Amino acid sequence: PVIEFTVLGEEEILLVSRKSKSGNDLPPGKKIPLKQLGRYPLILPSYPHAMRALADTTASGIGVTLDIAIQIEGVPFILELVNKGLGYTLLPRSIVESSNLASKLQVNPFSQRLVRTLNVGVSSQRRVTHLTRETVKLVTHFLRLGMPY
């Protein structure tokens, strides 16, 4: 192969919603069946963004049609719209927790674990540099600590 991939880790993807003062329709921590994903108006980036591709592939695989309420690029914008109550999104916990809106949002896992795999790809036709090796070590270290990338 021209590119060799190394798995750095996995992140669980969660349904992100706004916390409501009057009571959210989703109790915090309640597991959501993946089959119900089509019930939630989603705010997602456009395809071919990796999160959108994961959402589309997952929905297609279980026979669910997604309700894409808003299509917008950029996690800060997506979380702002979720915080305004305009829909839900799909993100790993680390991204939500590192947001300045973390205290205003809640996450709910899916009953069937939804994950994305994080990989690094390097050319098999070139020597791996010291900088590349150290960067992979650093990213792997931060992922183990649960820090967003």
Side-chain angles (χ1 to χ4, degrees), residues 18-28 85 104 106:
R18 172 177 75 163
K19 286 182 185 172
S20 173
K21 294 180 179 125
S22 61
N24 195 311
D25 60 341
L26 290 174
K104 299 176 181 180
Q106 78 174 40

Side-chain angles (χ1 to χ4, degrees), residues 66-81:
L66 296 177
D67 176 8
I68 306 298
I70 301 172
Q71 191 169 271
I72 187 170
E73 308 305 317
V75 171
F77 302 117
I78 291 171
L79 291 177
E80 188 64 46
L81 294 173

